[in-house]
Amino acid sequence: MSWLFDLLDADKSGQVERSEFDKIRAIPGAEQRLESLGIMVSELEELFDVIDVTGDGRLDAAEFIGQSLRLRGKARAGDMVEAVYRMKRLDRAVLRSGLVTEADFRRKE
């Protein structure tokens, strides 16, 4: 996955922004390599939002590689991507409400 991150990071900033990520289909062989890893090309539009764990619209190498590999595999279907995306949106909304803190999310029961 680092090969893809390096290709997508066109400005060599160390981060991939949405506009850079959206060019993934234009990279020769990228779709085939992603599918060989179990990452469905048909879900690329949602994939950025799912792997952007910080919600800042940018992916650093660790975020891109780690989250992409975490979501791979045949067991993951489109509805799983949708569920993860919705959970992240809900988490952000709850945090913005002020009812809980980031530490509350990290605390294990």
Side-chain angles (χ1 to χ4, degrees):
M1 294 300 291
S2 60
W3 64 272
L4 183 57
F5 181 86
D6 291 338
L7 287 174
L8 290 172
D9 185 17
D11 62 2
K12 305 303 177 208
S13 65
Q15 297 184 324
V16 172
E17 296 182 14
R18 182 64 183 239
S19 60
E20 293 171 311
F21 185 85
D22 289 341
K23 296 176 184 172
I24 199 167
R25 291 180 192 268
I27 298 172
E31 290 186 17
Q32 293 83 1
R33 288 184 77 177
L34 288 171
E35 287 188 354
S36 75
L37 293 170
I39 298 172
M40 305 308 295
V41 175
S42 61
E43 299 167 354
L44 285 176
E45 289 183 29
E46 295 89 4
L47 183 63
F48 185 91
D49 295 323
V50 171
I51 63 178
D52 181 18
V53 294
T54 60
D56 63 0
R58 296 183 300 265
L59 306 171
D60 62 27
E63 191 175 28
F64 177 78
I65 296 167
Q67 294 299 314
S68 295
L69 292 177
R70 187 173 152 251
L71 292 172
R72 71 181 178 160
K74 292 181 181 177
R76 182 192 50 84
D79 55 338
M80 178 57 98
V81 171
E82 177 71 17
V84 171
Y85 175 67
R86 287 176 184 250
M87 287 297 296
K88 285 180 52 180
R89 286 181 53 203
L90 180 60
D91 287 351
R92 286 188 214 127
V94 170
L95 284 171
R96 280 193 304 267
S97 75
L99 296 174
V100 296
T101 66
E102 186 73 33
D104 294 327
F105 274 112
R106 305 248 183 263
R107 193 174 307 143
K108 301 201 189 247
E109 294 183 30

